[in-house]
Amino acid sequence: MTSDDASAPQQPAADPTPRQIRRWRKYLADEIAEGKLYTDLASRKSGEERQILLGLARAEERHQSHWRELLGEHAERLPSPSAHRVLLSWLARIFGSVFILALAQRAESDSPYARDDDATAGMAADEVVHEEVVRALATRGREKLSGGFRAAVFGANDGLVSNLALIMGMGGTGVSSSVVLLTGIAGLLAGALSMAAGEFVSVRSQRELLDATRPTQATLRAAPDLDMDQNELVLVYRARGMSREDAEHRAMERLGLFDCDCDPSLSHHPQEDVEQDEHDVVGGAWTAALSSFGCFAAGALIPVLPYLLGLTATAAVVVSLTLVGLALLCTGALVGLLSGASPLSRGLRQLLIGFGAAGVTYLLGTLLGVNVA
């Protein structure tokens, strides 16, 4: 079978069943929604990224043609797209593209075409490629978010879990609600300052390590004064990872023996000339510190809120657990969303970890309270 045969619409052997028609109409509605999504995202972009998104939109149009041909007269008055596609279209008008691309990546990975005999092998292969294209586009946005976003999410999650555990532990000892409240506020301030200081030192140190390992342009400054016959320029470039041939070519350029770019593939080594700045991925030290401080404080405030509002005993504990549980679900879902994983599973994982830590500290507080008494 040729590639053209593989991508051509496969006509059913007999008249389609009502179930087939319903399934094809759903596929067509989803393809139309996805094509519109990529077109909308492309309208916000420029350059290469815009062309890539428009290419994805054109691919969805090819898939639409397949289902229209199979449906014939049934291709009109289509049902609403699946809830996932509707959510994507709605979010595309509100949030940044990195969130939408992360959701789109998950949608492409869940394509049913590989399991459906009515879709062509070419269409199933398209969906696999589309997932990788969207993954690459989403990676650019994830890298830009990685510094401050990482500090913000981890800070909020740590604030939620650590202060909930602290409050539950103190509550288990049987102390008064006022003591629990003061303990929670102290935990908020101490934890937020500690997180901010830790993030600042961590990011600053990482940036300093990148500066120390990045190649410099010292060879350009030293080249005019080097001995033509005795010099270590070749060793410099070999130490940076070039082969002997590449290193000798670059050294001859630096010494002025080559007055033209004889072989661009040897003149531009990726380690030395790469455009991407690793600092963008690491983020700024102050940005990370402030994000961590603010988000830890916000997260740590949630378990304390019921006590600030005057609730005591069991009522305060129940409200605190409820608020923290909702917040953990949200932070976990957000991480899952951006990573292309299931938001629900990531949210539940965060919830179990947070409540597990709180449960352990409550039991330890109860034992401590009994021993002290």
Side-chain angles (χ1 to χ4, degrees):
M1 179 182 291
T2 66
S3 59
D4 291 339
D5 294 334
S7 60
Q10 298 176 355
Q11 296 292 344
D15 291 337
T17 64
R19 176 177 294 181
Q20 282 180 309
I21 292 175
R22 287 195 299 271
R23 188 170 69 250
W24 297 347
R25 283 162 56 86
K26 193 69 172 177
Y27 288 161
L28 178 55
D30 285 347
E31 294 286 5
I32 292 173
E34 286 185 6
K36 186 176 185 303
L37 171 67
Y38 292 134
T39 302
D40 290 344
L41 289 176
S43 66
R44 305 181 185 181
K45 303 294 182 179
S46 60
E48 184 183 47
E49 194 166 359
R50 173 184 174 86
Q51 296 306 314
I52 292 172
L53 289 166
L54 290 176
L56 288 174
R58 288 191 294 270
E60 303 298 350
E61 291 175 359
R62 293 199 309 271
H63 295 182
Q64 294 169 30
S65 298
H66 173 86
W67 299 120
R68 288 186 189 279
E69 187 166 344
L70 288 182
L71 282 167
E73 62 182 9
H74 301 291
E76 304 298 329
R77 295 189 300 278
L78 297 173
S80 299
S82 60
H84 195 107
R85 271 74 177 184
V86 173
L87 177 64
L88 275 174
S89 299
W90 180 70
L91 292 175
R93 293 189 289 268
I94 301 175
F95 297 109
S97 60
V98 61
F99 291 90
I100 312 308
L101 288 171
L103 280 171
Q105 176 186 330
R106 180 165 176 78
E108 295 287 3
S109 68
D110 289 339
S111 173
Y113 290 168
R115 305 181 299 273
D116 196 318
D117 293 336
D118 295 322
T120 68
M123 292 170 64
D126 283 347
E127 295 300 313
V128 174
V129 173
H130 291 177
E131 180 189 357
E132 291 305 309
V133 173
V134 175
R135 184 194 304 273
L137 291 175
T139 297
R140 301 181 183 184
R142 288 179 179 130
E143 288 176 347
K144 293 177 182 177
L145 286 174
S146 59
F149 177 78
R150 174 182 58 83
V153 171
F154 289 165
N157 190 71
D158 286 350
L160 286 165
V161 175
S162 65
N163 228 26
L164 176 66
L166 180 61
I167 287 174
M168 292 297 104
M170 290 300 296
T173 65
V175 299
S176 66
S177 297
S178 60
V179 174
V180 174
L181 173 60
L182 292 175
T183 302
I185 293 175
L188 184 157
L189 294 174
L193 290 170
S194 175
M195 285 288 294
E199 281 294 333
F200 181 87
V201 172
S202 174
V203 174
R204 176 60 64 87
S205 299
Q206 193 169 358
R207 291 173 70 91
E208 290 170 350
L209 285 173
L210 289 173
D211 286 336
T213 55
R214 176 174 297 177
T216 69
Q217 296 300 316
T219 55
L220 285 175
R221 298 190 295 270
D225 299 320
L226 289 175
D227 188 315
M228 289 289 187
D229 298 319
Q230 301 293 329
N231 69 80
E232 288 73 40
L233 271 185
V234 173
L235 298 182
V236 171
Y237 297 123
R238 290 182 66 185
R240 292 181 183 177
M242 288 186 176
S243 67
R244 177 182 289 275
E245 180 187 11
D246 294 4
E248 290 176 350
H249 180 97
R250 174 59 70 83
M252 293 303 100
E253 278 192 334
R254 289 291 184 257
L255 292 172
L257 297 184
F258 293 158
D259 57 2
C260 66
D261 196 2
C262 307
D263 186 349
S265 67
L266 299 181
S267 298
H268 302 285
H269 191 261
Q271 183 181 1
E272 189 176 48
D273 298 324
V274 67
E275 292 295 330
Q276 179 184 2
D277 187 359
E278 297 97 328
H279 287 181
D280 291 339
V281 178
V282 176
W286 281 109
T287 299
L290 293 175
S291 297
S292 186
F293 179 90
C295 292
F296 185 99
L301 179 63
I302 293 176
V304 182
L305 276 177
Y307 296 92
L308 287 173
L309 296 176
L311 297 179
T312 59
T314 304
V317 171
V318 171
V319 174
S320 181
L321 287 172
T322 301
L323 293 176
V324 171
L326 292 173
L328 286 171
L329 285 172
C330 290
T331 58
L334 182 59
V335 173
L337 172 63
L338 284 175
S339 64
S342 168
L344 179 59
S345 65
R346 293 298 184 271
L348 290 175
R349 184 178 68 181
Q350 294 290 89
L351 181 65
L352 290 175
I353 292 173
F355 278 12
V360 170
T361 53
Y362 180 81
L363 291 176
L364 291 175
T366 302
L367 293 175
L368 180 62
V370 171
N371 292 333
V372 171

